[in-house]
Amino acid sequence: MIYAEVQPRGVPRPWGLCAVALLLLALLVGLGVGSIGIGPGGIVESALSHVPFLHVRSPLSSVEEAIVWQLRAPRVVLSALVGGMLAVAGASYQGVFRNPLVDPYLLGVAAGAGLGATLVIAYGGASGQLVPPAAFGGAAISVALAYALGRSAGRARATTTLVLAGVTVATFMAAAQTFVQQQHSNQLQNVYAWLLGGFSTATWHDVGVVTPYIAVSSAVLVMHRRVLDVLSVGDEEAASLGVDVGRVRLAIVAAATIGTAAAVAVSGLIAFVGIIVPHAIRMLVSTSYRAVVPLSFVVGGAFLALTDVLARTILSPQELPIGVITAFFGAPFFAFVLRSTR
Amino acid sequence: MIELDGVSVSLGSTRALREVSLEVGRGEWVALIGPNGAGKTTALRAIAGLVPYAGALALGGREVRELGRRRLARLVALVPQLPDRPPELTVGEYVLLGRTPHLGYLAAERPADRRAAARALERLELVRFTDRLLGSLSGGELQRAVLARALAQEAELLLLDEPTSALDLGRQQQALELVHELREDGLTIVCTMHDLTLAGQYAERLVLLDQGEVVADGVPADVLSPENVELFYGASVRVVEEDGHVYVLPQRPVRTIA
């Protein structure tokens, strides 16, 4: 007898193409919009002129070339990378903790990064070079502490314990951060500027520094998309299906944390991306992690790149911190998700 | 198939199983019965390798604690009493999860896996539900979906924890008839049951547990004596034997008013 096959829902091709098109659109808008507007045709031709052997001539002046490729491009690329990372980490955290309202800052990434950055801004003098590594280190240490505390507290109800440990560590880190900040009130503005997040100082160097972390982390998370579906049946049933739940959780949390820490280190704290994007995909496309995780990366990138355009144009020539915009859209969205989940 | 030799399990400070010794042969259907807290579910979880135990517990001659998670899951499929119902999966995807122990850690399902899931769906008459979200199923349909997932696992041993507790009378019978049919494939079945009459009608052998110990083991007619039920369940019952079947009927205790 011939049986049919059960086909799991992956990324449906039309939606995959839509997501990629959205990302390309976001990149073009990000490169073209600003104090000097440049049309998409000019940008594409200019981009092609940098490809050897094509013999396309850029229609842009040298000033426009510099604006597009030295000022806007690193900013657009960085915002897309950070947005993709935060969204994919958010989706993975939601899967690991089986809670749709969780975001990648759950285990203290934000508070730890905040403390690290504040310490360097307060004591490190004028040099901003050390802020990203300090933020990265603070974030990683914070989550490692939460994980160690959660494990030592007990294996039963492992995720609940872990979440409580994360809250504990985050509260402590936030208290320490506030203490340091109040002691150095002359640096308050710099600390706040960092905490609110943004891409106004983005350079190709930043892009080069975070790309390896984000590429590896998001690749690891995308590879776990089927395993995330297995975890949805709960720890005990996943174990009875042959999954070493503790080890899988550690792998996913570690990958999501390293990627998020790298993203936070170069962009500050940008809230709600990790909640808005995965949920929008769940509502529109599919609830299986096989679709949610990969699509989150692409759509998250497009979302944050477009948000960054708003951040630098709404009050132009002033910049609005990007975290304000994501929270402005994110909080009502969060309330909506809260009401629509059990 | 299963050999327990002096198996003890401690859950916190309570000893949930004490020195249980038991052998289940290939193809047998054994029901574990006993009052609440007797250790029935703990025994199933120990066999599935989900709780640490003392003593020797072997499946097909191999010690459970030495088998890796994946190998164990290829030998044993567990249907929990209250399965989690992830609302985000379709029935087809849920049944496909049963193939997990046959896959590499990060591998995708192969066509053989997708066919195995399709067979399990067909076997449990769930084909028309394949694309429905799990959250939309009724209790009886969910129970069948969980059984299908266990079947897709293609394990030789099927553990069922209270397979009928969430079902109405008709669905209880259907579910157990289904399990009975599955035995044609050579499955060995160990289940826990609250309903003694159903346990006696379907299982060939009953093992009565009380406070973590085996207190009776044998064919239903022997284990389900009014004395045993009275002693271990504290219940007053009449046991009727008819056509080789045993019926346990609760009987309201006679009270004398002083």
Side-chain angles (χ1 to χ4, degrees):
Chain A
M1 201 191 303
I2 298 164
Y3 292 95
E5 294 181 5
V6 174
Q7 210 65 45
R9 292 166 300 167
V11 178
R13 185 163 298 168
W15 283 108
L17 292 175
C18 273
V20 171
L22 183 68
L23 180 61
L24 290 176
L25 177 78
L27 296 179
L28 276 181
V29 170
L31 292 174
V33 172
S35 50
I36 299 174
I38 297 165
I43 292 166
V44 171
E45 277 184 62
S46 166
L48 292 178
S49 77
H50 293 276
V51 181
F53 310 120
L54 270 183
H55 306 297
V56 176
R57 277 191 42 150
S58 172
L60 306 183
S61 70
S62 61
V63 174
E64 288 174 324
E65 282 274 314
I67 287 176
V68 169
W69 299 115
Q70 294 309 315
L71 291 176
R72 289 184 194 161
R75 185 169 181 160
V76 171
V77 172
L78 193 66
S79 59
L81 283 171
V82 167
M85 188 65 237
L86 292 178
V88 91
S92 307
Y93 263 76
Q94 285 147 24
V96 164
F97 291 98
R98 300 207 299 146
N99 182 339
L101 300 175
V102 153
D103 77 359
Y105 301 148
L106 179 74
L107 294 182
V109 168
L115 178 60
T118 307
L119 280 174
V120 167
I121 293 169
Y123 298 108
S127 162
Q129 293 288 321
L130 288 173
V131 173
F136 182 86
I141 289 170
S142 177
V143 175
L145 276 178
Y147 214 92
L149 180 63
R151 279 193 70 105
S152 67
R155 285 175 158 269
R157 296 166 57 77
T159 50
T160 316
T161 320
L162 193 51
V163 171
L164 292 176
V167 171
T168 309
V169 171
T171 310
F172 181 78
M173 294 280 182
Q177 189 268 332
T178 311
F179 180 74
V180 175
Q181 174 189 305
Q182 295 311 109
Q183 275 196 317
H184 296 78
S185 48
N186 56 326
Q187 292 285 356
L188 213 55
Q189 181 119 36
N190 289 335
V191 172
Y192 265 119
W194 186 85
L195 287 180
L196 285 171
F199 298 99
S200 57
T201 58
T203 61
W204 282 119
H205 176 75
D206 295 332
V207 173
V209 169
V210 298
T211 299
Y213 293 98
I214 290 181
V216 171
S217 296
S218 48
V220 168
L221 295 176
V222 168
M223 283 192 285
H224 276 86
R225 61 196 186 279
R226 185 186 64 82
V227 180
L228 280 164
D229 271 350
V230 180
L231 291 185
S232 70
V233 298
D235 286 9
E236 175 131 333
E237 286 181 62
S240 81
L241 289 171
V243 172
D244 187 334
V245 178
R247 203 179 297 168
V248 168
R249 187 179 294 129
L250 179 61
I252 294 175
V253 167
T257 299
I258 289 170
T260 304
V264 167
V266 293
S267 67
L269 304 179
I270 301 172
F272 287 115
V273 180
I275 289 177
I276 296 177
V277 174
H279 277 292
I281 293 164
R282 284 193 189 100
M283 281 187 246
L284 289 172
V285 185
S286 159
T287 43
S288 163
Y289 283 100
R290 296 176 208 244
V292 173
V293 174
L295 279 178
S296 284
F297 188 74
V298 180
V299 175
F303 172 76
L304 206 60
L306 286 173
T307 312
D308 185 50
V309 173
L310 288 180
R312 61 189 163 86
T313 50
I314 287 180
L315 293 182
S316 179
Q318 262 193 310
E319 289 242 357
L320 202 57
I322 191 166
V324 172
I325 298 177
T326 56
F328 190 79
F329 290 118
F333 188 89
F334 185 87
F336 171 72
V337 172
L338 187 65
R339 280 180 60 97
S340 64
T341 48
R342 294 162 297 148
Chain B
M1 180 76 211
I2 315 174
E3 289 163 62
L4 283 79
D5 189 7
V7 171
S8 299
V9 174
S10 299
L11 300 175
S13 57
T14 53
R15 295 235 298 167
L17 281 189
R18 302 158 193 252
E19 305 271 327
V20 168
S21 296
L22 188 66
E23 261 185 56
V24 178
R26 202 170 286 275
E28 256 192 297
W29 182 346
V30 175
L32 306 178
I33 57 172
N36 289 333
K40 307 183 292 289
T41 299
T42 304
L44 285 195
R45 293 179 68 220
I47 296 170
L50 297 172
V51 280
Y53 59 87
L57 202 178
L59 295 179
R62 309 213 31 190
E63 189 64 32
V64 164
R65 67 166 80 80
E66 281 157 24
L67 285 163
R69 274 251 135 269
R70 259 179 75 202
R71 286 192 79 127
L72 193 56
R74 279 182 289 200
L75 284 176
V76 187
L78 172 71
V79 175
Q81 180 177 7
L82 295 170
D84 247 294
R85 182 201 291 235
E88 60 265 39
L89 295 181
T90 64
V91 174
E93 287 165 348
Y94 182 71
V95 172
L96 204 51
L97 295 185
R99 299 304 297 167
T100 304
H102 299 272
L103 300 173
Y105 177 42
L106 295 175
E109 296 89 354
R110 296 149 302 179
D113 299 306
R114 298 198 291 264
R115 279 197 296 275
R119 276 198 302 275
L121 284 166
E122 183 155 312
R123 189 78 199 261
L124 291 172
E125 293 171 14
L126 285 167
V127 173
R128 67 200 164 94
F129 294 103
T130 305
D131 296 322
R132 282 259 296 271
L133 285 175
L134 214 57
S136 70
L137 297 191
S138 73
E141 290 157 359
L142 178 69
Q143 184 72 23
R144 294 218 310 275
V146 183
L147 263 178
R149 188 187 82 189
L151 214 56
Q153 223 168 314
E154 291 182 340
E156 298 165 49
L157 174 59
L158 184 58
L159 305 178
L160 306 166
D161 193 6
E162 299 292 347
T164 55
S165 62
L167 306 178
D168 63 42
L169 196 58
R171 300 274 157 29
Q172 292 184 1
Q173 245 171 7
Q174 285 168 20
L176 292 173
E177 285 296 331
L178 232 155
V179 172
H180 178 77
E181 284 169 29
L182 297 180
R183 296 178 65 205
E184 290 165 14
D185 308 348
L187 278 175
T188 307
I189 291 162
V190 178
C191 67
T192 68
M193 294 270 268
H194 267 302
D195 189 313
L196 299 177
T197 301
L198 285 176
Q201 283 184 0
Y202 286 92
E204 303 154 327
R205 185 175 146 202
L206 302 184
V207 174
L208 176 58
L209 291 170
D210 184 54
Q211 297 182 29
E213 287 179 70
V214 176
V215 290
D217 181 349
V219 294
D222 292 345
V223 174
L224 293 177
S225 65
E227 296 76 30
N228 273 347
V229 179
E230 161 96 53
L231 184 59
F232 297 109
Y233 282 85
S236 161
V237 295
R238 251 178 70 209
V239 176
V240 179
E241 263 193 85
E242 218 174 85
D243 315 329
H245 282 303
V246 189
Y247 302 86
V248 179
L249 307 172
Q251 195 174 38
R252 190 164 175 187
V254 184
R255 290 192 192 196
T256 45
I257 299 164

